[in-house]
Amino acid sequence: MEVFTAESTHQKIGQPENGNGGPGKVYPVIIQGGMGAGVSNWRLANAVARTGQMGVVSGTALDLILARRLQDGDPGGNMRRALDHFPVPEIAERIVSWYYIPGGKGPDEPYKPIPKYSITPGKRLQELTVAANFAEVWLAKEGHRGLVGVNLLEKIQLPNIFSLYGAMLAGVDFVLMGAGIPREIPGVLDRLARHEETSLRIHVADALSDKSFRTHFDPRKLISRDLPPLKRPEFLAIVASVTLALTLMKKSAGKVNGFIIEGPTAGGHNAPPRGPLQLDGKGEPLYGPKDVVDLSRIKDLGLPFWVAGSCADPESLKKMRESGAIGVQAGTLFAYCEESGFAEDLKRAVCRKAVRGEAEVFTDPVASPTSFPFKVVQLEGTNSEKETYESRPRKCDLGYLHETYLREDGKLCYRCPSEPVEDYVNKGGKQENTEGRKCLCNGLFTNIGFPQVRESGYRELPLVTSGNDVNKIARFLRGGKSSYSAREVIDYLLGES
């Protein structure tokens, strides 16, 4: 087994022929996965970055996460401390005045809502999103000189420009993005680094192919003062095929700096299988030889790449490096460590199952409103159980995964297959698209300790997601241990434990 020395935990690469990457770039061997919402939080990213590897925060729904942390009383004062460094103090002060509750709200009181995203978000939501991403990255980078990235989803398009700008204000080093084809994002990064007005094309259902709809953002209207140019973070596209990697290299609006090659066993959302969807005996999507990425062809592209999906062990890391990869991206091993954002009771429940070798993950082909397969840990008392979920009042009040569509009268509206069926159908959606769909948004916020409480008294339940190799966390819990640290994961992957 290869044992990594301090010098070998990073790889230096030369200038590729196409000019991307730059001469003498040094990259970490391990990228900690950006697990949303809020599992890959600033504490986890900070801990990983301190080891010399890349820590990553999830940028998904940080606007709501910041608002709920403040309503819970901002334990430790970290959110307010980070906001004290935001370049426009008046914005930070407004956010604190809107949401901060000294001592926190009562456990049976609901969280106050924040505005929902549309193609033309109001200034209040823009300010909240920019400041929230700034705060998360600022805290992740505090106290060290390591690398920090932010992970966003192409599928959640509407907040992305604002999220990116906030992360860049805090000096984020890398942007990682998958769950779609993020061709415009590299160009957006270029313009945001110069504080220039920019826009992003938004997918709109039921619109003619020749019609284009865009969300717009002018940083100078939000930040009413002169700021020096920002560092343009490197862009790593998360892809599941050579074809997509080639498309992004050739047709992106700006420079793609590298790739993360993600296999179907990685946690969260997965790329659908290539070809017609077929299910196995358990009802999970069948992946075949066409879904295996030829790493030799990825290597020939000349850009640095990492591999993700059931390769978070020293032997796989060595094998991936021999195939030309810089290293691996690991998520699940970090998801249940002490620094991650998962609620403590969920960590303990999954850890107990893993120690017994009984943690089971189901790749649900229909749970996600996005229509991407979504991995769900089978856990009692959560919405992984069909009967439990069916007792939930059907409601879509957060809207991060809703779909933008064009109404017959030309107005842009929003619908989600997890909302009440009648509402979805009245908005032009097909009833069959609602079958088996679950509210990921509310479940994911409960995962990290922010369950919404309804007027009826119903409390939202968790919906836990992980990669297929969740039982591997048992190796860190030997000898009766009940927890483990991010440092222990790094040491294991590098062969130092």
Side-chain angles (χ1 to χ4, degrees), residues 336 342-356 379 473 477 482-483:
Y336 301 96
F342 265 134
E344 290 302 316
D345 59 335
L346 291 177
K347 287 184 192 178
R348 290 193 297 271
V350 175
C351 285
R352 286 194 295 268
K353 278 184 171 286
V355 166
R356 300 193 300 267
L379 198 61
I473 65 175
L477 301 166
S482 60
S483 66

Side-chain angles (χ1 to χ4, degrees), residues 62-80:
L62 282 175
D63 48 353
L64 186 63
I65 290 174
L66 172 60
R68 291 194 175 182
R69 285 172 177 164
L70 290 173
Q71 290 175 72
D72 279 346
D74 187 20
N78 295 299
M79 296 300 102
R80 287 167 292 155

Side-chain angles (χ1 to χ4, degrees), residues 417-497:
S418 295
E419 69 184 328
V421 175
E422 184 178 355
D423 292 349
Y424 182 74
V425 172
N426 287 340
K427 295 175 182 179
K430 297 179 180 178
Q431 182 165 340
E432 57 264 32
N433 291 344
T434 68
E435 295 172 5
R437 302 294 187 200
K438 294 184 177 181
C439 179
L440 266 56
C441 296
N442 277 290
L444 294 179
F445 284 109
T446 304
N447 288 351
I448 56 175
F450 302 130
Q452 184 60 290
V453 180
R454 304 298 178 189
E455 291 181 0
S456 65
Y458 179 83
R459 184 182 296 269
E460 294 285 356
L461 294 176
L463 187 66
V464 181
T465 180
S466 282
N468 282 18
D469 55 357
V470 62
N471 282 313
K472 287 185 178 180
I473 65 175
R475 70 163 290 106
F476 303 109
L477 301 166
R478 294 168 181 166
K481 287 180 60 179
S482 60
S483 66
Y484 63 97
S485 69
R487 165 69 75 170
E488 290 177 76
V489 177
I490 295 292
D491 289 346
Y492 163 67
L493 293 174
L494 298 180
E496 296 175 0
S497 66

Side-chain angles (χ1 to χ4, degrees), residues 135-170:
E136 199 77 7
V137 173
W138 189 90
L139 289 165
K141 291 182 69 69
E142 185 182 23
H144 62 85
R145 299 179 65 184
L147 296 173
V148 170
V150 62
N151 181 282
L152 293 166
L153 302 179
E154 173 69 12
K155 275 283 187 182
I156 305 180
Q157 291 184 300
L158 296 174
N160 279 342
I161 292 180
F162 312 98
S163 299
L164 289 168
Y165 187 64
M168 291 171 66
L169 284 173

Side-chain angles (χ1 to χ4, degrees), residues 141-468:
K141 291 182 69 69
E142 185 182 23
H144 62 85
R145 299 179 65 184
L147 296 173
V148 170
V150 62
N151 181 282
L152 293 166
L153 302 179
E154 173 69 12
K155 275 283 187 182
I156 305 180
Q157 291 184 300
L158 296 174
N160 279 342
I161 292 180
F162 312 98
S163 299
L164 289 168
Y165 187 64
M168 291 171 66
L169 284 173
V172 74
D173 301 294
F174 286 80
V175 170
L176 299 75
M177 187 174 289
I181 307 176
R183 277 180 16 186
E184 293 193 35
I185 298 300
V188 167
L189 297 177
D190 294 337
R191 291 186 291 276
L192 290 178
R194 300 187 293 266
H195 307 284
E196 293 177 356
E197 183 176 1
T198 187
S199 66
L200 185 64
R201 183 169 182 166
I202 301 300
H203 171 73
V204 175
D206 303 333
L208 297 175
S209 59
D210 61 344
K211 295 202 70 172
S212 177
F213 299 88
R214 306 186 74 85
T215 187
H216 295 265
F217 176 47
D218 186 348
R220 290 189 175 94
K221 290 183 178 179
L222 193 77
I223 307 293
S224 55
R225 61 196 62 195
D226 290 332
L227 294 176
L230 301 174
K231 175 178 67 178
R232 193 274 197 185
E234 295 199 38
F235 179 71
L236 303 181
I238 302 173
V239 300
S241 72
V242 176
T243 301
L244 180 51
L246 278 166
T247 297
L248 289 168
M249 280 189 65
K250 293 178 179 179
K251 297 184 178 181
S252 289
K255 182 185 292 185
V256 175
N257 301 96
F259 298 104
I260 295 172
I261 313 302
E262 191 170 84
T265 59
H269 285 96
N270 299 141
R274 299 181 71 183
L277 178 65
Q278 300 181 57
L279 304 180
D280 64 14
K282 293 182 179 179
E284 297 181 291
L286 276 171
Y287 290 87
K290 291 182 178 180
D291 301 298
V292 177
V293 180
D294 185 343
L295 296 183
S296 66
R297 292 182 63 194
I298 295 291
K299 179 181 178 182
D300 288 343
L301 299 179
L303 294 182
F305 69 95
W306 292 256
V307 184
S310 297
C311 54
D313 58 76
E315 294 77 15
S316 296
L317 175 55
K318 179 181 179 182
K319 182 179 178 182
M320 294 303 107
R321 283 172 61 82
E322 289 172 349
S323 72
I326 302 293
V328 300
Q329 176 183 272
T332 300
L333 296 187
F334 289 108
Y336 301 96
C337 72
E338 293 160 358
E339 297 90 346
S340 90
F342 265 134
E344 290 302 316
D345 59 335
L346 291 177
K347 287 184 192 178
R348 290 193 297 271
V350 175
C351 285
R352 286 194 295 268
K353 278 184 171 286
V355 166
R356 300 193 300 267
E358 296 174 358
E360 181 183 351
V361 174
F362 177 70
T363 304
D364 195 321
V366 296
S368 174
T370 67
S371 75
F372 277 36
F374 186 73
K375 293 193 182 300
V376 180
V377 178
Q378 304 303 288
L379 198 61
E380 298 80 5
T382 72
N383 275 333
S384 64
E385 299 172 303
K386 182 179 179 181
E387 297 78 9
T388 303
Y389 186 76
E390 288 180 347
S391 68
R392 175 188 182 268
R394 202 171 175 108
K395 187 178 183 68
C396 176
D397 60 336
L398 300 179
Y400 290 100
L401 295 174
H402 64 198
E403 175 184 59
T404 307
Y405 73 99
L406 187 66
R407 218 164 58 181
E408 289 183 358
D409 62 3
K411 183 179 179 181
L412 289 178
C413 296
Y414 308 90
R415 65 192 179 204
C416 177
S418 295
E419 69 184 328
V421 175
E422 184 178 355
D423 292 349
Y424 182 74
V425 172
N426 287 340
K427 295 175 182 179
K430 297 179 180 178
Q431 182 165 340
E432 57 264 32
N433 291 344
T434 68
E435 295 172 5
R437 302 294 187 200
K438 294 184 177 181
C439 179
L440 266 56
C441 296
N442 277 290
L444 294 179
F445 284 109
T446 304
N447 288 351
I448 56 175
F450 302 130
Q452 184 60 290
V453 180
R454 304 298 178 189
E455 291 181 0
S456 65
Y458 179 83
R459 184 182 296 269
E460 294 285 356
L461 294 176
L463 187 66
V464 181
T465 180
S466 282
N468 282 18

